[in-house]
Amino acid sequence: MRICITGAAGFIGYHLSEYFASRGVTVVGIDNLNEYYDVTLKQARLDALARHPSFQFARLDLADKSALRAVFANHGFTHVMNLAAQAGVRYSLENPDAYIASNVVGFHNLLECCRAFPVEHFVYASSSSVYGLNTRMPFSVHDNVDHPVSLYAASKKSNELMAHVYSHLYAIPTTGLRFFTVYGPWGRPDMALFLFTKAMLAGEPIKIFNQGNMRRDFTYIDDIIEGVVRVLAAPPAPNAQWSGEHPDPSSSPAPYRIFNIGNNNSVSLMEFIRVLEQALGMEARKEFLPMQPGDVPATFANIDDLHAAVGFRPSTPLEVGIPRFVSWYIQRYGR
């Protein structure tokens, strides 16, 4: 295996790179180290990866097609895991151009590279945000997802559509993974767990949107990595039972699949905060606010298809995952 991992300096990209590189697998990590959040955290992740001889890093932007093509030409990848994206629902309201450049143009460039330099499997990060206005729970990959409520979500839905085209036209095996609220050590500073922990330790109030009436399918990073590793090793085959009369969005007569990766357990935000308070040994000062534009009140992943395909169900409870994050945070940033 020779794997290209884009977004290698990011949260999930770092953990996946660490998984493979620590096992001697050749990993080429790509990242543009943009300033969406603390670049020193991204660099610290890369510094940790640099101790592995099988890890190489290429700093480039996916929108730079010629530079990306040169990396593919030089390495002959067998697998590609695309975790690079302009992240964040709220940021997409302020900086929409960044999402088109990275999540649409950059994604297209990756597909073109996989066409020019064929790979065994192209796997990419989609998002639970594609469910948008859907309210039937748990969210199923067999349901239509044509009503996103943020440009970020729309860009992720576009990735699924573009991947299908390349699977159909060029027989590139592609799998999209809809991640559900990933958390854990080395997590993103713009995510709730990081923001809440930082504010509580500083004695500041935490901002709780929709008056606290939020539910999320919180998924621990180690579960995400195990799921990704299993999926990478299982390229999709065309679905011979697929019917154009009753089209199933999750598969195709092409080698194309979509999976949810979530904990299959929707937890209230207030319960999430309670577990964090317990881990930190302090009560949070709470500021209750209205729902933010582009957000959704609840997420909940049906993962039956993932389990049927690769025999895996995420299972780490908050009572285990949150204390692990807190331990990492205090070790890195102090109290």
Side-chain angles (χ1 to χ4, degrees):
M1 175 184 270
R2 297 178 303 282
I3 184 168
C4 172
I5 300 177
T6 70
F11 173 32
I12 302 174
Y14 158 71
H15 282 278
L16 188 63
S17 297
E18 172 68 28
Y19 177 93
F20 281 118
S22 66
R23 289 162 174 77
V25 175
T26 297
V27 178
V28 176
I30 293 175
D31 206 293
N32 66 358
L33 296 179
N34 68 32
E35 297 182 354
Y36 170 65
Y37 66 78
D38 183 14
V39 176
T40 61
L41 177 57
K42 298 179 181 182
Q43 188 59 58
R45 294 174 182 140
L46 289 176
D47 291 344
L49 291 172
R51 72 179 188 273
H52 299 298
S54 62
F55 178 80
Q56 303 173 55
F57 177 65
R59 182 171 183 174
L60 64 90
D61 196 304
L62 296 186
D64 186 343
K65 189 172 185 177
S66 61
L68 185 63
R69 187 180 175 91
V71 171
F72 271 71
N74 288 338
H75 292 282
F77 298 119
T78 59
H79 296 73
V80 174
M81 180 70 217
N82 179 41
L83 293 162
Q86 180 55 63
V89 168
R90 292 159 199 150
Y91 189 70
S92 69
L93 304 177
E94 306 162 14
N95 297 276
D97 291 357
Y99 291 77
I100 301 303
S102 177
N103 302 8
V104 179
V105 175
F107 189 81
H108 170 254
N109 289 342
L110 273 174
L111 287 169
E112 277 291 289
C113 284
C114 289
R115 178 163 78 102
F117 307 97
V119 298
E120 295 175 21
H121 198 184
F122 173 62
V123 184
Y124 59 95
S126 185
S127 168
S128 61
S129 67
V130 301
Y131 288 100
L133 294 178
N134 288 30
T135 56
R136 183 166 63 177
M137 300 284 176
F139 291 149
S140 170
V141 292
H142 302 287
D143 291 340
N144 178 286
V145 289
D146 283 345
H147 298 87
V149 295
S150 70
L151 186 62
Y152 170 70
S155 73
K156 288 298 186 178
K157 171 63 175 173
S158 77
N159 289 172
E160 297 178 3
L161 297 173
M162 294 162 70
H164 182 265
V165 170
Y166 276 72
S167 292
H168 172 73
L169 292 177
Y170 310 115
I172 299 171
T174 69
T175 301
L177 300 177
R178 294 174 179 169
F179 294 134
F180 280 69
T181 315
V182 187
Y183 74 99
W186 294 98
R188 277 173 29 206
D190 62 321
M191 297 292 282
L193 182 55
F194 201 113
L195 292 169
F196 289 171
T197 301
K198 181 179 180 181
M200 288 171 66
L201 290 174
E204 300 170 354
I206 62 174
K207 295 180 178 180
I208 303 174
F209 294 99
N210 199 33
Q211 311 302 326
N213 297 313
M214 306 281 277
R215 300 186 69 87
R216 289 290 182 268
D217 200 333
F218 297 101
T219 314
Y220 188 62
I221 184 62
D222 289 2
D223 286 335
I224 289 288
I225 297 307
E226 181 171 352
V228 170
V229 169
R230 292 195 186 202
V231 168
L232 274 164
N239 180 2
Q241 306 303 315
W242 193 90
S243 167
E245 291 285 329
H246 304 285
D248 177 359
S250 73
S251 65
S252 169
Y256 167 90
R257 285 302 303 267
I258 298 291
F259 294 117
N260 289 331
I261 295 193
N263 210 42
N264 193 215
N265 180 30
S266 191
V267 177
S268 75
L269 182 59
M270 299 311 295
E271 171 65 11
F272 180 82
I273 292 169
R274 184 196 67 77
V275 177
L276 177 58
E277 289 175 326
Q278 189 174 50
L280 285 170
M282 65 177 67
E283 186 175 348
R285 293 168 52 203
K286 303 174 181 71
E287 180 182 358
F288 292 93
L289 298 166
M291 175 80 92
Q292 290 189 302
D295 214 343
V296 297
T299 65
F300 183 7
N302 180 318
I303 56 171
D304 290 347
D305 285 57
L306 176 71
H307 182 258
V310 298
F312 175 66
R313 289 183 180 275
S315 60
T316 304
L318 292 178
E319 289 77 9
V320 172
I322 286 180
R324 289 179 183 172
F325 170 83
V326 167
S327 177
W328 168 83
Y329 183 95
I330 291 174
Q331 183 178 8
R332 177 168 174 79
Y333 297 103
R335 297 190 70 96

